[in-house]
Amino acid sequence: MTINFLLNGLIPLHILFHATEGEIYGQEMLDELRHHGYRISPSTLYPMLHRLEERGYLMAREERTGKVMRRYYKATRKGHEALQQAKPQIKELFSEIIGGGSI
Ligand SMILES: [Zn+2]
C-alpha cells in the first residue's frame, strides 16, 4: 500500500517554499524530495512544476549546461504571497496532526 496519494498534496507547497529561497530545477527538487522521504518520479514532479508556473506561482528560465537544457524556476511575487498566506493553515494543520490537537 502506498500513501503517495496523500503525501503528494504536500509537494507543491514544498516546491514553492524552496523556490522562494532561490532558483530550483527539476532534478534538484527530485533529490531534495527523495531526501525528505517522498517517493516521487519525474512524471509526477514535472507536471507539478508546470502547473505552478502556469498558475503564476513560479517563473522559469532555460539555461544550457553542457549538452543539457535546464529549466530553472523561482517563485514569483504571487508565489511568495501565496506561501505567506498559506502559512497559518499549514501551521494549524501540522500542529493538529503532530501536536495532537489544539494550538
Ligand atoms: Zn525541502
Side-chain angles (χ1 to χ4, degrees), residues 14-15 17-18 29 32-33 35-36 38:
H14 205 130
I15 293 171
F17 167 70
H18 283 288
M29 271 319 291
E32 162 72 17
L33 289 164
H35 174 77
H36 282 298
Y38 294 92

Side-chain angles (χ1 to χ4, degrees), residues 33 58 60 71:
L33 289 164
L58 299 181
R71 213 167 153 76

Side-chain angles (χ1 to χ4, degrees), residues 2 9 22 34 36 53 59 77 81 91 97-98:
T2 173
R34 284 173 183 158
H36 282 298
E53 184 189 356
M59 58 179 137
R77 188 190 176 89
E81 287 170 1
K91 207 171 160 189
I97 295 173
I98 307 300

Side-chain angles (χ1 to χ4, degrees), residues 63-69:
E63 192 181 299
R64 183 174 289 281
T65 312
K67 288 178 185 169
V68 187
M69 185 66 98

Side-chain angles (χ1 to χ4, degrees), residues 46-79:
Y46 285 97
M48 274 184 194
L49 286 168
H50 208 96
R51 277 199 297 276
L52 285 164
E53 184 189 356
E54 238 171 39
R55 292 177 191 189
Y57 297 117
L58 299 181
M59 58 179 137
R61 69 178 178 87
E62 287 185 339
E63 192 181 299
R64 183 174 289 281
T65 312
K67 288 178 185 169
V68 187
M69 185 66 98
R70 192 166 269 168
R71 213 167 153 76
Y72 289 91
Y73 295 89
K74 68 176 180 183
T76 59
R77 188 190 176 89
K78 183 181 170 182

